[in-house]
Amino acid sequence: MTIVSVKVPRMLGLAIGTAALAAAAAPSLLGVRGSGMILRAIFAALGVIALIAGFLLLRYKRMIENTPSSKVRSVAMGLAELKGVARPHDAPLAAPFSGLPCLFYRFTVEQEESTGRAGRGWRVIEQGVSDAPFFLEDDTGRILVDPAGARTELNRDYRQVARDGGLFSRRKRYTEYRLDPGEPVHVLG
C-alpha cells in the first residue's frame, strides 16, 4: 500500500545504467591496459545492476499509472487506487516530537558521527512508524485504511538538531513525517 503519491523518477535507473556502461567502455577507448580491465569489469557490473534497478522502478511506476482511480463507493476487490482526505478512526495520535495531533507518523533519530578525513555524517540510531488505522473519505463515502507495513511518502513536518548530553555530546537530529487530519491522501493497495 502506498500512502500519498509515489514519485518515481522517469528512466533514472536506465540513464544511470547507460552512463555506467559508457564509463566501462571509456578505458578501452583511451587505451588503458592491465588494471584498466578490472576497472572496466567493475563499471560494467555497476551498469548492469543500475539497468536492472531502472527496469524494476519503471515496472513499479507503470503499475501505479495503470491502476485506475476509484471512488470509495465503487472500489473493487484487489489492487485499487483511492484519493480523498484523511479522517480519524479513533482519537488522533500524538506525533512523537512535535506532540501535534496526527493520523499517521514516521520518525527518525540520527546521530552525527565522524566519517574520517572527509567530515561528518548522520547515522540512524532509532526509527519508528505508527500503525493505527484511519479513514480515507471522498464525496461518496469513507473506507478504513490500515497503514501497517505500508510504503509511505510524506512531507517532512518537523526537524530539530540538538545536543542532548551537554556541550561535548554528539548532536542528534530528530525528524518527523506526519499525516494530519483533513490532509489530502492518495492510497494504492
Side-chain angles (χ1 to χ4, degrees):
M1 177 188 335
T2 304
I3 299 175
V4 184
S5 60
V6 175
K7 299 169 187 156
V8 180
R10 291 185 185 266
M11 311 294 259
L12 176 64
L14 294 175
I16 292 171
T18 305
L21 287 173
S28 66
L29 296 174
L30 298 174
V32 176
R33 302 246 186 256
S35 65
M37 296 295 285
I38 295 170
L39 184 65
R40 191 174 0 172
I42 291 171
F43 277 116
L46 289 174
V48 168
I49 290 168
L51 195 62
I52 291 169
F55 277 117
L56 291 175
L57 277 174
L58 184 62
R59 190 176 97 189
Y60 182 69
K61 176 183 172 290
R62 287 194 176 147
M63 179 195 67
I64 292 171
E65 289 175 346
N66 293 335
T67 304
S69 291
S70 301
K71 294 287 187 180
V72 169
R73 181 184 305 160
S74 60
V75 68
M77 294 296 290
L79 188 63
E81 178 180 344
L82 300 167
K83 295 177 186 177
V85 294
R87 300 284 183 219
H89 176 255
D90 291 324
L93 305 169
F97 302 132
S98 66
L100 295 173
C102 65
L103 304 177
F104 177 83
Y105 64 81
R106 181 169 42 97
F107 72 90
T108 59
V109 179
E110 299 163 295
Q111 184 170 311
E112 188 176 32
E113 294 188 348
S114 175
T115 59
R117 278 196 231 176
R120 308 187 75 66
W122 296 95
R123 181 179 60 90
V124 175
I125 58 173
E126 186 180 351
Q127 57 188 354
V129 63
S130 67
D131 60 357
F134 60 89
F135 284 110
L136 180 144
E137 185 177 281
D138 66 10
D139 55 346
T140 65
R142 63 188 195 169
I143 191 167
L144 191 64
V145 176
D146 182 8
R151 179 188 299 184
T152 62
E153 178 141 345
L154 300 166
N155 292 327
R156 183 180 71 222
D157 292 303
Y158 177 86
R159 177 171 276 176
Q160 179 183 3
V161 178
R163 292 187 191 276
D164 288 340
L167 183 62
F168 297 108
S169 66
R170 293 181 178 169
R171 294 189 318 160
K172 290 185 179 176
R173 182 166 62 185
Y174 302 89
T175 308
E176 177 180 277
Y177 305 86
R178 294 188 312 268
L179 177 63
D180 297 327
E183 189 173 333
V185 66
H186 179 136
V187 175
L188 176 68

